[in-house]
Amino acid sequence: MTVRVVLADDQPLVRTALRMVIADAPDLEVVGEAGTGAEAVQLAENVHPDVVVMDIRMPGMDGIDATRLITAGTGGAHVIVLTTFDDDDHVYGALRAGASGFLVKDMALDDILAAIRVVAAGDALIAPSVTRRLIEEFAGRPASAPRHRPLDGITEREREVLTLVGHGRSNTEIAADLFISVATVKTYVTRLLAKLDARDRVQLVIIAYEAGLASPSR
């Protein structure tokens, strides 16, 4: 099945580069391009893409508001935020708006293609190293301070797994940390998604942060 992709970025060169590399992938197809957030929302409604690759900083409606509208819609499109992380203060807000992951613009193009496939399949993409940077970036900011969300109904072992997910640990790393199998970790993650009503692993990271389980000092 071909994955239908919309590219939303106010830089034509970025869109051109992505379009060219996607054209060489037999399982991916660009079905639209947008230079603003509003155009991205309209395209998502009109062409029903599987994935929208979304820049954050665009004129008019930015990528965060566009992401919120697209993921709240009925089209079922997943959003990947594409940003220059080092100088962008809004990644956390984009993930809370419903993005299924994010990429940085200096990633290899092949990695971007792989990310599109992962998100189209219904999973989330958030690199462990970037997760740690996210937590560090927002931990000291009053506007993004953790709300210490209650975690009712989860076991102590599930709390341990959630803490490690919040610190950006992969399933393999969590298995090694807790001396359990990768399959068992996957089972715990699935249970956490259901119990915490989380859409994907990205939301689990956010929940861990808001519950005070993940911070630079822990």
Side-chain angles (χ1 to χ4, degrees):
M1 185 178 67
T2 301
V3 177
R4 295 163 54 82
V5 181
V6 162
L7 305 175
D9 197 298
D10 64 340
Q11 299 180 43
L13 286 177
V14 173
R15 299 200 307 270
T16 298
L18 289 172
R19 184 177 66 249
M20 290 176 63
V21 73
I22 287 174
D24 291 331
D27 59 332
L28 304 177
E29 177 188 8
V30 175
V31 296
E33 296 183 31
T36 68
E39 291 176 1
V41 173
Q42 191 63 52
L43 269 176
E45 293 177 355
N46 293 342
V47 304
H48 304 291
D50 301 300
V51 176
V52 179
V53 180
M54 180 81 72
D55 189 19
I56 289 182
R57 293 181 174 176
M58 292 184 287
M61 180 187 295
D62 66 15
I64 295 177
D65 288 337
T67 295
R68 185 176 296 109
L69 291 173
I70 290 172
T71 57
T74 59
H78 301 281
V79 177
I80 297 176
V81 171
L82 179 66
T83 185
T84 304
F85 181 79
D86 285 338
D87 60 8
D88 201 316
D89 294 337
H90 305 296
V91 176
Y92 184 76
L95 295 178
R96 293 203 58 181
S100 294
F102 69 89
L103 312 177
V104 289
K105 288 184 177 179
D106 60 359
M107 287 177 64
L109 289 176
D110 285 346
D111 291 337
I112 293 177
L113 297 185
I116 292 172
R117 296 184 181 103
V118 166
V119 169
D123 205 348
L125 186 90
I126 181 164
S129 61
V130 182
T131 303
R132 298 182 191 109
R133 292 177 66 181
L134 261 179
I135 293 169
E136 291 170 2
E137 176 75 9
F138 290 95
R141 302 188 179 191
S144 302
R147 297 179 300 181
H148 296 290
R149 164 178 177 156
L151 298 175
D152 299 328
I154 70 171
T155 67
E156 186 58 34
R157 177 62 95 181
E158 289 166 348
R159 180 183 291 268
E160 291 175 341
V161 171
L162 179 61
T163 299
L164 292 170
V165 169
H167 280 279
R169 306 289 280 173
S170 68
N171 286 348
T172 300
E173 291 171 328
I174 293 172
D177 290 342
L178 299 181
F179 303 102
I180 57 180
S181 70
V182 173
T184 301
V185 174
K186 291 180 179 178
T187 298
Y188 280 124
V189 170
T190 299
R191 290 176 183 171
L192 286 166
L193 290 170
K195 288 184 176 183
L196 300 176
D197 193 26
R199 182 184 59 254
D200 50 39
R201 197 181 186 96
V202 172
Q203 284 201 330
L204 288 182
V205 171
I206 294 170
I207 290 169
Y209 175 65
E210 292 183 336
L213 299 181
S215 70
S217 61
R218 296 191 59 169

